[in-house]
Amino acid sequence: HVISQRNTKMDSSTKEALMYALMKVYLNALIEEGGVGRRTPLHIAFTDYISPALAKAMIERGTRATFMKDRKGWLPVHVACSRHCSPEKLRLLLAANPSSLHDVTHDGHSLLSLAASTATRSHPNFALIDALHDELRQSQQYFYYGHGVYPIQQPQPQQVRTPAWQSRPEDDVVLGQLLLHFHRSSRHDCGREGV
Protein backbone atom coordinates (compact mmCIF):
# COMPACT_ATOMS: atom_id res chain seq x y z
CA HIS A 1 0.00 0.00 0.00
CA VAL A 2 2.72 2.44 0.98
CA ILE A 3 4.74 2.05 -2.21
CA SER A 4 1.58 2.60 -4.30
CA GLN A 5 1.11 6.06 -2.81
CA ARG A 6 1.95 9.06 -4.89
CA ASN A 7 3.81 10.90 -2.14
CA THR A 8 6.62 8.38 -1.74
CA LYS A 9 10.07 9.94 -1.94
CA MET A 10 11.45 7.95 -4.88
CA ASP A 11 11.56 8.31 -8.62
CA SER A 12 8.91 6.55 -10.70
CA SER A 13 11.24 3.90 -12.18
CA THR A 14 12.43 2.79 -8.73
CA LYS A 15 8.88 2.80 -7.44
CA GLU A 16 7.63 0.69 -10.36
CA ALA A 17 10.53 -1.78 -10.01
CA LEU A 18 9.67 -2.24 -6.33
CA MET A 19 5.98 -2.72 -7.14
CA TYR A 20 6.79 -5.42 -9.71
CA ALA A 21 9.04 -7.17 -7.18
CA LEU A 22 6.36 -7.03 -4.47
CA MET A 23 3.71 -8.41 -6.84
CA LYS A 24 5.92 -11.42 -7.52
CA VAL A 25 6.57 -12.06 -3.82
CA TYR A 26 3.16 -11.29 -2.35
CA LEU A 27 0.38 -11.54 -4.94
CA ASN A 28 -2.50 -11.23 -2.46
CA ALA A 29 -1.36 -7.74 -1.51
CA LEU A 30 -3.18 -6.46 -4.60
CA ILE A 31 -6.56 -7.51 -3.21
CA GLU A 32 -6.09 -6.47 0.41
CA GLU A 33 -7.77 -3.35 1.70
CA GLY A 34 -5.73 -0.98 3.80
CA GLY A 35 -6.05 2.17 5.83
CA VAL A 36 -9.17 3.97 6.98
CA GLY A 37 -10.33 4.37 3.38
CA ARG A 38 -10.25 0.58 2.81
CA ARG A 39 -8.45 1.01 -0.51
CA THR A 40 -6.52 -1.64 -2.39
CA PRO A 41 -3.08 -0.97 -3.91
CA LEU A 42 -4.89 -0.66 -7.26
CA HIS A 43 -7.01 2.21 -5.90
CA ILE A 44 -3.92 3.89 -4.52
CA ALA A 45 -1.76 3.34 -7.61
CA PHE A 46 -4.29 5.19 -9.76
CA THR A 47 -3.89 8.32 -7.63
CA ASP A 48 -0.47 8.56 -9.26
CA TYR A 49 0.66 8.55 -12.87
CA ILE A 50 1.76 4.95 -13.24
CA SER A 51 2.83 3.47 -16.54
CA PRO A 52 0.29 1.55 -18.63
CA ALA A 53 2.53 -1.53 -18.36
CA LEU A 54 2.43 -1.45 -14.55
CA ALA A 55 -1.34 -0.78 -14.59
CA LYS A 56 -1.83 -3.78 -16.87
CA ALA A 57 0.33 -6.04 -14.68
CA MET A 58 -1.51 -4.98 -11.52
CA ILE A 59 -4.92 -5.51 -13.13
CA GLU A 60 -3.97 -8.93 -14.55
CA ARG A 61 -2.50 -10.15 -11.26
CA GLY A 62 -5.18 -8.61 -9.04
CA THR A 63 -8.31 -8.57 -11.19
CA ARG A 64 -10.52 -9.03 -8.14
CA ALA A 65 -9.41 -5.59 -6.92
CA THR A 66 -11.22 -3.98 -9.88
CA PHE A 67 -14.49 -5.10 -8.21
CA MET A 68 -13.57 -3.88 -4.71
CA LYS A 69 -15.07 -0.64 -3.43
CA ASP A 70 -13.43 1.57 -0.86
CA ARG A 71 -15.19 3.19 2.11
CA LYS A 72 -16.79 5.83 -0.17
CA GLY A 73 -17.99 3.28 -2.73
CA TRP A 74 -15.22 4.03 -5.20
CA LEU A 75 -13.83 1.34 -7.46
CA PRO A 76 -10.27 1.73 -8.78
CA VAL A 77 -11.78 2.98 -12.07
CA HIS A 78 -13.48 5.86 -10.19
CA VAL A 79 -10.11 6.87 -8.75
CA ALA A 80 -8.53 6.62 -12.21
CA CYS A 81 -11.19 8.84 -13.82
CA SER A 82 -10.85 11.42 -11.05
CA ARG A 83 -7.07 11.50 -11.57
CA HIS A 84 -6.84 12.12 -15.35
CA CYS A 85 -6.02 8.56 -16.40
CA SER A 86 -5.36 7.79 -20.04
CA PRO A 87 -7.98 6.13 -22.24
CA GLU A 88 -5.63 3.14 -22.45
CA LYS A 89 -5.67 2.61 -18.67
CA LEU A 90 -9.43 3.21 -18.57
CA ARG A 91 -9.94 0.41 -21.11
CA LEU A 92 -7.72 -1.93 -19.09
CA LEU A 93 -9.88 -1.37 -16.00
CA LEU A 94 -13.14 -1.70 -17.94
CA ALA A 95 -11.96 -4.90 -19.64
CA ALA A 96 -11.41 -6.44 -16.20
CA ASN A 97 -14.73 -5.18 -14.79
CA PRO A 98 -17.09 -4.13 -17.62
CA SER A 99 -20.04 -3.39 -15.32
CA SER A 100 -17.99 -0.71 -13.55
CA LEU A 101 -18.73 1.62 -16.48
CA HIS A 102 -22.20 2.18 -15.03
CA ASP A 103 -21.29 2.00 -11.34
CA VAL A 104 -21.66 5.11 -9.18
CA THR A 105 -20.02 6.06 -5.90
CA HIS A 106 -21.95 6.38 -2.63
CA ASP A 107 -22.38 10.09 -3.33
CA GLY A 108 -23.68 9.47 -6.86
CA HIS A 109 -20.61 10.15 -9.03
CA SER A 110 -20.32 8.26 -12.30
CA LEU A 111 -17.06 7.79 -14.19
CA LEU A 112 -18.06 10.53 -16.61
CA SER A 113 -19.02 12.99 -13.88
CA LEU A 114 -15.68 12.41 -12.13
CA ALA A 115 -13.70 12.92 -15.33
CA ALA A 116 -15.64 16.09 -16.16
CA SER A 117 -15.58 17.56 -12.64
CA THR A 118 -11.83 17.09 -12.20
CA ALA A 119 -10.87 18.57 -15.58
CA THR A 120 -8.57 21.58 -15.34
CA ARG A 121 -6.78 23.82 -17.79
CA SER A 122 -3.62 21.75 -17.49
CA HIS A 123 -5.56 18.45 -17.58
CA PRO A 124 -8.75 19.03 -19.59
CA ASN A 125 -9.48 15.26 -19.78
CA PHE A 126 -10.72 15.55 -23.39
CA ALA A 127 -9.35 12.14 -24.39
CA LEU A 128 -10.69 10.48 -21.22
CA ILE A 129 -14.14 12.08 -21.59
CA ASP A 130 -14.30 11.09 -25.27
CA ALA A 131 -13.27 7.52 -24.39
CA LEU A 132 -16.00 7.36 -21.73
CA HIS A 133 -18.60 8.62 -24.21
CA ASP A 134 -17.48 5.93 -26.69
CA GLU A 135 -17.63 3.22 -24.02
CA LEU A 136 -21.10 4.35 -22.88
CA ARG A 137 -22.42 4.36 -26.45
CA GLN A 138 -20.97 0.92 -27.06
CA SER A 139 -22.32 -0.43 -23.76
CA GLN A 140 -25.90 0.20 -24.86
CA GLN A 141 -25.47 -2.78 -27.16
CA TYR A 142 -24.44 -5.15 -24.33
CA PHE A 143 -25.58 -6.20 -20.88
CA TYR A 144 -23.49 -7.40 -17.96
CA TYR A 145 -24.20 -10.42 -15.81
CA GLY A 146 -21.67 -11.45 -13.21
CA HIS A 147 -18.31 -11.17 -14.91
CA GLY A 148 -19.68 -11.72 -18.42
CA VAL A 149 -20.58 -9.31 -21.21
CA TYR A 150 -23.36 -10.41 -23.54
CA PRO A 151 -24.71 -8.80 -26.73
CA ILE A 152 -28.27 -7.55 -26.61
CA GLN A 153 -30.36 -9.03 -29.36
CA GLN A 154 -31.83 -6.02 -31.11
CA PRO A 155 -35.30 -6.73 -32.48
CA GLN A 156 -35.46 -6.35 -36.20
CA PRO A 157 -37.99 -3.72 -37.20
CA GLN A 158 -40.89 -5.20 -39.06
CA GLN A 159 -42.29 -3.43 -42.06
CA VAL A 160 -46.03 -3.24 -41.54
CA ARG A 161 -48.10 -1.22 -43.94
CA THR A 162 -50.95 0.58 -42.32
CA PRO A 163 -53.81 1.78 -44.50
CA ALA A 164 -53.76 5.55 -44.86
CA TRP A 165 -57.17 5.95 -43.19
CA GLN A 166 -55.77 4.42 -39.95
CA SER A 167 -52.73 6.62 -39.52
CA ARG A 168 -53.84 10.20 -40.04
CA PRO A 169 -52.13 12.53 -37.52
CA GLU A 170 -55.29 14.63 -37.10
CA ASP A 171 -57.16 11.52 -35.94
CA ASP A 172 -54.53 10.94 -33.24
CA VAL A 173 -54.97 14.51 -32.00
CA VAL A 174 -58.76 14.19 -31.84
CA LEU A 175 -58.50 10.83 -30.06
CA GLY A 176 -56.07 12.32 -27.53
CA GLN A 177 -58.40 15.24 -26.85
CA LEU A 178 -61.37 12.90 -26.34
CA LEU A 179 -59.42 10.69 -23.93
CA LEU A 180 -58.30 13.73 -21.93
CA HIS A 181 -61.88 15.07 -21.84
CA PHE A 182 -63.30 11.74 -20.61
CA HIS A 183 -60.52 11.37 -18.04
CA ARG A 184 -61.24 14.83 -16.61
CA SER A 185 -65.01 14.24 -16.70
CA SER A 186 -64.75 10.92 -14.86
CA ARG A 187 -62.55 12.46 -12.15
CA HIS A 188 -65.00 15.33 -11.75
CA ASP A 189 -68.02 13.00 -11.60
CA CYS A 190 -66.32 10.74 -9.06
CA GLY A 191 -65.54 13.74 -6.88
CA ARG A 192 -69.19 14.92 -6.80
CA GLU A 193 -70.55 11.54 -5.90
CA GLY A 194 -68.04 11.08 -3.10
CA VAL A 195 -66.70 7.85 -4.58
Side-chain angles (χ1 to χ4, degrees):
H1 286 89
V2 173
I3 291 178
S4 299
Q5 294 177 357
R6 62 187 166 124
N7 59 355
T8 53
K9 305 292 184 211
M10 64 181 80
D11 63 77
S12 61
S13 61
T14 303
K15 177 181 174 176
E16 289 198 8
L18 282 171
M19 289 177 76
Y20 277 113
L22 284 171
M23 283 190 294
K24 287 180 185 175
V25 174
Y26 187 49
L27 183 60
N28 287 338
L30 293 174
I31 56 172
E32 287 191 13
E33 299 170 337
V36 295
R38 294 188 356 240
R39 286 188 162 183
T40 65
L42 196 58
H43 284 92
I44 296 166
F46 275 100
T47 64
D48 201 359
Y49 301 106
I50 61 173
S51 72
L54 178 59
K56 182 178 181 188
M58 290 179 77
I59 292 166
E60 287 174 350
R61 292 184 176 122
T63 303
R64 197 165 88 197
T66 65
F67 293 87
M68 296 174 72
K69 292 186 175 189
D70 69 6
R71 184 175 48 93
K72 295 181 179 181
W74 288 46
L75 294 165
V77 71
H78 289 112
V79 175
C81 287
S82 73
R83 300 293 303 173
H84 322 291
C85 81
S86 68
E88 178 183 8
K89 289 187 254 182
L90 170 71
R91 288 188 182 96
L92 289 170
L93 287 163
L94 292 176
N97 180 359
S99 63
S100 66
L101 178 64
H102 299 285
D103 211 326
V104 294
T105 63
H106 291 326
D107 56 356
H109 286 289
S110 67
L111 302 182
L112 187 58
S113 72
L114 288 167
S117 67
T118 58
T120 63
R121 282 187 184 182
S122 61
H123 293 92
N125 289 348
F126 293 138
L128 176 60
I129 291 169
D130 286 346
L132 282 165
H133 278 291
D134 290 345
E135 293 290 333
L136 287 165
R137 263 191 303 277
Q138 182 69 15
S139 76
Q140 293 175 359
Q141 299 171 20
Y142 297 92
F143 73 95
Y144 307 97
Y145 182 74
H147 298 297
V149 181
Y150 304 94
I152 294 174
Q153 297 294 327
Q154 297 293 331
Q156 297 299 318
Q158 295 181 352
Q159 298 270 330
V160 177
R161 291 199 63 168
T162 307
W165 59 270
Q166 288 182 343
S167 63
R168 294 188 319 193
E170 56 272 9
D171 290 343
D172 293 340
V173 171
V174 171
L175 180 61
Q177 290 171 342
L178 284 171
L179 288 172
L180 184 60
H181 172 73
F182 287 120
H183 176 71
R184 287 181 182 158
S185 297
S186 65
R187 272 194 330 186
H188 183 65
D189 290 340
C190 289
R192 271 188 290 155
E193 297 172 8
V195 176

